[in-house]
Amino acid sequence: MWEQIFGAANLLAMIAWAVLILAPRRESVMRALFFGPVLLLALGYATGLTLVMTGVVPTDGGADFSTIAGVRSIFASDPGVTIGWVHYLTFDLFVGLWIARNADAHGLGTWKGRLIQAPILFFTFAAGPFGLALYITVRAIFLRRASAHLIPT
């Protein structure tokens, strides 16, 4: 069962990321991604976490977030790994949506901007915080250059 949940969450996230990176950046698409895959993944995570924390679904060593050993024991079980992975998928997709909206709002929504966004969004999908750090850096450089053209010298 946990293997199927893991696979379904992965598939849902991959489809959402493909849409985010490749589809036209319409408000309806962005809302559909937010209220569709992001919400479904978040609800799946909340459900799984509740089941583990209440003991309905046992993990090998119990649910304990206060020690490394406790967290290790959670992730040593299929439910723990699946719930943890869905956590990553949910937050990375949410951050990807924020990056896309923020980049568009800061002038990176043109086709050239979308080419800049694509690798950033890929890195956010593959390695969450790395992609976020990359975007913050690119945005700082882009805004500095853009503002330099607006300020009279």
Side-chain angles (χ1 to χ4, degrees):
M1 174 179 91
W2 290 102
E3 188 70 38
Q4 288 82 13
I5 294 170
F6 185 92
N10 266 339
L11 181 61
L12 178 61
M14 284 190 215
I15 291 168
W17 277 102
V19 169
L20 179 62
I21 294 170
L22 300 172
R25 197 64 61 68
R26 294 189 182 105
E27 182 59 27
S28 60
V29 171
M30 300 300 278
R31 290 178 63 79
L33 288 171
F34 184 75
F35 289 105
V38 171
L39 181 59
L40 283 173
L41 289 167
L43 290 172
Y45 170 79
T47 302
L49 182 66
T50 300
L51 293 173
V52 166
M53 295 302 290
T54 59
V56 172
V57 173
T59 58
D60 293 342
D64 174 16
F65 290 107
S66 63
T67 65
I68 290 175
V71 172
R72 185 182 305 114
S73 74
I74 293 169
F75 287 116
S77 68
D78 286 352
V81 169
T82 302
I83 294 163
W85 187 244
V86 171
H87 179 282
Y88 287 125
L89 293 175
T90 305
F91 268 66
D92 289 354
L93 182 56
F94 179 82
V95 171
L97 284 168
W98 177 83
I99 289 171
R101 285 182 180 273
N102 191 267
D104 288 352
H106 285 91
L108 290 171
T110 65
W111 71 270
K112 288 180 184 178
R114 292 289 299 269
L115 289 176
I116 293 168
Q117 285 185 45
I120 293 168
L121 291 171
F122 171 78
F123 280 112
T124 305
F125 165 66
F130 180 79
L132 178 60
L134 183 61
Y135 173 65
I136 291 169
T137 303
V138 167
R139 187 182 115 168
I141 293 167
F142 177 79
L143 289 178
R144 187 176 307 126
R145 286 186 185 158
S147 66
H149 296 293
L150 298 174
I151 299 171
T153 54

